[in-house]
Amino acid sequence: MERSNYALISALYSDKSRGLYSDIYFPIIKYVIVKISAELKSADKYSNAETVHNKIQELFDIKIPHVVIAKTVSKLANVRNGSIELEAYEDGNCFKIKRAYFDEEESTYEERERSFNLHLHDIEAEYKGFIEREGTCDEDATFMEFISNNTENILGYFENETEEQVEEKYTSMVFFLDYLHKSNEPLYKVANQLFWSSVIVAFLQSERPQVYDQERGCEAEYYLDTSIAMGLLELSTPENEASARDVRDIIKSSGGLLKIHPATLEEIKTILASVAQNGAYPGTSIANACARRNLEAHDILKIQLNLQKHVESKGMVPFPSATVDIRKEILNKYKGKEVVRKLAENRNNLNGESSLSYANADMFREAHDVFMDDYICERRTRMGKKNIFFLTTNTDLIAYCKKRHPEENAMISTSKVILDLWMHNAKPAHVSSSVLTETMARCLDMHRAKVRSKLHDVARLFNKTKEDVAPEVYQEFLKLLYRRARNVVNAVNEIPDDSKAFMVQLQDAIKEDNAYFDAVNSEVRSRNVALEEEVTKQTEKVQSLAEESELKSQSIGSLKTKNETLTQEKSKLIADLNLTASLLQEEKHTSEEERQAKRLAEFKNRIFEKREALENRRDELLKELKPWKDKRFDSFKSSEFCRLLIVYVAIFCLALLSFFSEKYVAIEQGVTPGFIRVLFSIAIAGFAFSFFYYFDKRRDSRREAAYAKWENKPENAEYKRLVSEIETLDAEIATCKGILKDPTSYMGEMG
């Protein structure tokens, strides 16, 4: 693939919400469908999987299988209210585009693509500068080659189920990326996104994207190998430690269980005991940790004695329970067995004859690995589960065990588990940041293994020369070999038969690399000195300006003090003026209030006097009216009393008749006397109520008619005049009372 293709893929998948394996094809296929829709001019826009396939190959140089495109189109056709609406036919092989537009502006994708292209150019330029400064052997590798090679490796792993590999020649690239991570974090994030794009490209091109939900994912058991456990215990290189933490977090976030077998704990104890007693072997991961963390022998022993506690604190669960001497059990079980010897041969550590007489500590490593392979297979059979694995970074061990148990695949690498959990919908933001870290760690592990191999070769020549090598020379050689200094690497790659000649050649190579490095450092130091001088000049200039500024500041300060004094005096005068004005205003306001209060009091007095006069007049009229009211009352004569007397007599007679007739009625009618009395009482009460109610209303009507007739007589006109005048006086009195409740409102109207 071209640089621009990776840049465009990075632009499409840079959003953290994108990149779930289940939706891996959506962004690129949606992007292409929108492009196709824009090119179609007809009202009805039809297309097919073949057109999409060809357009993707044209824009991205990626061949996505037709069946994948058809399935994705079918899935997109079921999406509603999105930026794309399709109507699929023939299982997605043909479709109609009803609506298709970008989720964002097209210019946004183009801008991202340009940005990734520019950053990719920056990464390549930075890498060249790094190689030149460090004098490192890089075998003409480039960052584009690095990510393209990763695409091929992942595709090969995905298609053929082989373990993903990374070449040791990219070690210098890994050194550069580590440098970039520390010195230029934004550019490192771009490099990480571009590397993640290489993973995306591999999956997009795969012919057999498969996910085995029943075998991995939720609640899978992962038994950790020694190197990963050492990484979690922070007894390895920074890269291995970061990779181990990432893998641990991804497994746990996906529901997996992290376990460590007592046999693995025993191997870690063996390593720690050896380091505490003899020191760490140069070039090993634990040597890096000891140097970086300043760990002494007593520190290592403390970790060894409290190993289980440290293991549990890092999220690992020891399982099953340890036996009394598991080391002895494993060594006895596999002692002299060909499977252990062949594993040692496969790792190119020893030949068959010497492996049998190898030290017990090293034999336990091989026995441990074979034991764990057998243990996982036996546990799978016993539990009836396939989702139990031994997690390791040792690809040789994985390949060897796969040959032993082709049907099991009990061993799994860290890179494979990351990709597998991603396929089970682990969050892409977690996975994308882990893939590059894990690849870098594996590359450096391969480099350290190669360094150790070269050290063995050189050590044999040291022994042949019978000459002592100064410790500082050996340390310098080790440092240069690890960082892949050009001349030292070339020297150990072509070891002559003459050991003395090689020693001279090696020492010359060390001198040349150091001289180059010193020259580069000298140039850097010169630049730094020049920069420091420039900084000094600028500092002096700034100091001079600061002094000048200080004088001006003092002058300004004096003026400022005078200004503040004048401002204070001005403020005081303004305050005095405001106080005087306030007093005048208050005095004016007080005089006005007094005038208003006086007017209000006078007004209220007038109203009180008026009300009092009205009330006196009304009392006089009421006295005059009283005899007239008596005459008016006497004008109505009622006969109600006589009527009531007649009614009561009738009730009494009826009650008496009922009493004398009760025995006869009871006999003749078959009812009780009490019932007869109740019945008569009800009838009499109802009659009395109706009678009284009727005559009550009649009496009121007759009374009103008699009063009206009396009032209309000419001789009674004085009564009507008095009533009318009293009513007028009552209205005026009520008005006076209302005015007295709120005199202010009426004072202006009435003067």
Side-chain angles (χ1 to χ4, degrees), residues 541-672:
K541 187 176 180 179
V542 169
Q543 184 65 29
S544 175
L545 291 172
E547 291 174 357
E548 184 180 346
S549 177
E550 180 64 26
L551 292 173
K552 291 182 177 179
S553 297
Q554 291 175 0
S555 177
I556 292 171
S558 176
L559 293 173
K560 185 178 179 182
T561 303
K562 292 180 180 179
N563 184 55
E564 287 176 353
T565 303
L566 292 173
T567 302
Q568 290 174 0
E569 291 177 358
K570 179 183 176 182
S571 299
K572 187 174 181 302
L573 289 172
I574 291 173
D576 291 342
L577 288 172
N578 288 337
L579 179 60
T580 303
S582 177
L583 292 172
L584 291 172
Q585 183 66 25
E586 186 178 348
E587 184 178 352
K588 180 180 178 182
H589 183 67
T590 302
S591 300
E592 181 64 27
E593 285 182 346
E594 289 176 351
R595 285 196 297 271
Q596 290 292 337
K598 185 177 180 181
R599 288 181 59 205
L600 181 61
E602 292 174 351
F603 175 73
K604 289 172 72 176
N605 287 335
R606 289 202 305 271
I607 299 300
F608 273 120
E609 291 173 356
K610 182 178 180 181
R611 187 187 69 176
E612 186 177 0
L614 292 172
E615 288 176 346
N616 291 336
R617 174 60 181 162
R618 183 186 62 177
D619 291 342
E620 293 174 358
L621 293 175
L622 286 173
K623 289 178 181 179
E624 294 180 19
L625 182 64
K626 187 176 185 307
W628 290 100
K629 287 179 73 175
D630 293 340
K631 291 179 181 180
R632 179 174 176 269
F633 180 78
D634 293 338
S635 66
F636 173 66
K637 301 296 183 181
S638 175
S639 58
E640 298 299 331
F641 177 75
C642 296
R643 292 173 182 168
L644 285 174
L645 182 61
I646 294 170
V647 170
Y648 285 136
V649 171
I651 291 171
F652 177 77
C653 292
L654 287 172
L656 188 64
L657 178 63
S658 173
F659 176 75
F660 285 111
S661 302
E662 90 181 19
K663 187 179 291 186
Y664 173 78
V665 172
I667 294 171
E668 294 296 327
Q669 303 297 327
V671 295
T672 63

Side-chain angles (χ1 to χ4, degrees), residues 77 261 309 402 610 621:
H261 198 279
K309 180 180 178 182
K402 191 169 184 179
K610 182 178 180 181
L621 293 175

